[in-house]
Structures are given as C-alpha cells and as structure tokens.
Amino acid sequence: MSVDTFNRFLATTTGREKACRLVQYFARFYAFYLFRSGAPKEAIQRWNDLKSHIGNARKFFRLFKQVEFATTAVKSMSIQDEVVRATSVLKQVGMFFYYGTEALNLANAIKFYKFSNIKDIQRLGFKCWLFALTMSIITSIHKLRGLHVREAMLNKNEKAPEADAKALVKEKKGLHKQLLQDVVDAIIPVAGLNIIGFDEGIVGLAGMTTSWLAVTSQWQKVASK
C-alpha cells in the first residue's frame, strides 16, 4: 500500500464515505458483541454513539445524490436490452427515493426539523432500498445468463480471440461480485423492515462485508490511475 494511493483514495468522496461506512458497521457489530458479552452500559453506548454520528456524517456526504440517480435513470432508458433497461431504470428510481428519505432522516436526526412520522419515513426508505437491490440482483442474474450463452459460443469457436475470453471472465467476475454485494446488502433493509429477524450482529457483519467490497473496488480504481 503506497501513501500516494492512500491519499488519493481519501481525496475521493466515495473513498471517504465507504471507509466511514466500514467503521459505522463495525461499531454496530461491536456494540452488539459488547451487549451480548455483558459489558458495561457506558462501553456499549460509546460504540452506539460512534455508529450514530458516523451515520449522520455519511448522510451529509450523500446529500443531493438523488440528482445522480435521476440522471442515471434517464441514461438507462437508452439501454438496448429490454430487461436490463427496465430493471436499471427501476433501480435508479428506488435509490432516488431512498436517498430522499435519507435527507429527511438527517434533518430529523440533527433536529433541523422533527418529523412526527419519522419511523414511517425510515420504513419507506428501507422499502425503496430493498426494491432497488432487488432490481440490481435481477439485472446481474440476467446479464450472467447472457454471458453463459456467449461463453458457450466462444468455446465452440476455436478461432475466437483470447482477448474475448479474458474480457468475458473479467465481466463475469464483476457481476458475481456485484450480485454478492447486493444479496448481502439486502440483509440490512430486510432486518430494518423486520421481514426476517436478523440481529444487530448479523446486520453489522453484512454492512462490514459490503463496505469492504466497496472500499477495495474504489481502492483499485484509484490505484489504476
């Protein structure tokens, strides 16, 4: 790890936000671990406070991110594949409303404006996030099916360029990583909506896992420049 790469990683908003997310979900997991271990309330509260403050800081990082998702939704309408076009647009719409609720949650958390129905707003946010993740999962599965067809065709064609095979393997690897990230991430809104009773420890581990995947992806992008 070079210092230059580390500095460039932290210089990006995405890098700082994902690093904070990793710490936030570690704090969430560790607070649960301390609780189950019978640790003093003061120790547990310290980590819960860290989790809450980092969560609010991340919301500031992501203010007005709805504009990005709205723009991407419009661009996604030009995708040729009908399934990918539909799921991509719906994913962006889901994330647009999710980040909208996040802004309202932030206003409530910092007491800029107190909402009487904040729990309903939080539940709506979880629903929008879970919907967006579901659309992303469908997209990845559909693309993987297409790649399997292309792979079968390449295997039959002995004269197929080696570069095509390498590109296909790289694309498959990326889709598998995205699918894993989406499935694990889905644990968080599923728990928030109480669809399945995942405890705070599992939610913390899920968030740590997907945060690490996001951190490594951003690090690779920065290192390759």
Side-chain angles (χ1 to χ4, degrees), residues 121-202:
I121 293 172
Q122 290 169 347
R123 284 186 62 82
L124 176 61
F126 280 132
K127 288 178 181 178
C128 292
W129 187 15
L130 183 58
F131 175 77
L133 288 171
T134 302
M135 293 300 104
S136 185
I137 289 169
I138 294 172
T139 301
S140 295
I141 293 173
H142 178 74
K143 286 182 175 180
L144 282 170
R145 288 181 61 187
L147 287 181
H148 286 313
V149 173
R150 283 170 52 192
E151 187 176 30
M153 292 175 65
L154 280 174
N155 290 336
K156 289 180 180 179
N157 185 6
E158 297 179 356
K159 297 181 179 180
E162 186 178 345
D164 289 354
K166 289 183 177 179
L168 191 144
V169 169
K170 184 178 180 180
E171 192 173 350
K172 278 180 67 177
K173 185 178 178 180
L175 285 171
H176 281 134
K177 184 177 180 180
Q178 184 63 54
L179 185 58
L180 172 64
Q181 191 167 333
D182 289 336
V183 170
V184 177
D185 250 344
I187 291 172
I188 303 170
V190 163
L193 293 168
N194 205 28
I195 297 172
I196 300 176
F198 294 118
D199 60 38
E200 285 289 284
I202 293 176

Side-chain angles (χ1 to χ4, degrees), residues 202-223:
I202 293 176
V203 172
L205 286 172
M208 287 168 60
T209 301
T210 55
S211 296
W212 180 252
L213 290 172
V215 165
T216 54
S217 292
Q218 182 64 17
W219 182 276
Q220 289 167 359
K221 287 180 183 178
V222 171

Side-chain angles (χ1 to χ4, degrees), residues 20-35 39-56 200 208:
C20 285
R21 188 179 192 267
L22 179 60
V23 176
Q24 178 191 356
Y25 278 98
F26 172 78
R28 187 167 184 170
F29 166 78
Y30 195 58
F32 177 78
Y33 170 78
L34 291 174
F35 173 76
K41 290 183 179 179
E42 294 78 10
I44 299 171
Q45 190 60 47
R46 184 184 303 122
W47 287 94
N48 275 326
D49 289 343
L50 177 62
K51 175 194 71 176
S52 298
H53 291 316
I54 292 179
N56 289 333
E200 285 289 284
M208 287 168 60

Side-chain angles (χ1 to χ4, degrees), residues 82-94:
E82 293 182 358
V83 175
V84 176
R85 180 171 66 245
T87 54
S88 296
V89 170
L90 290 173
K91 173 189 174 181
Q92 304 307 319
V93 170

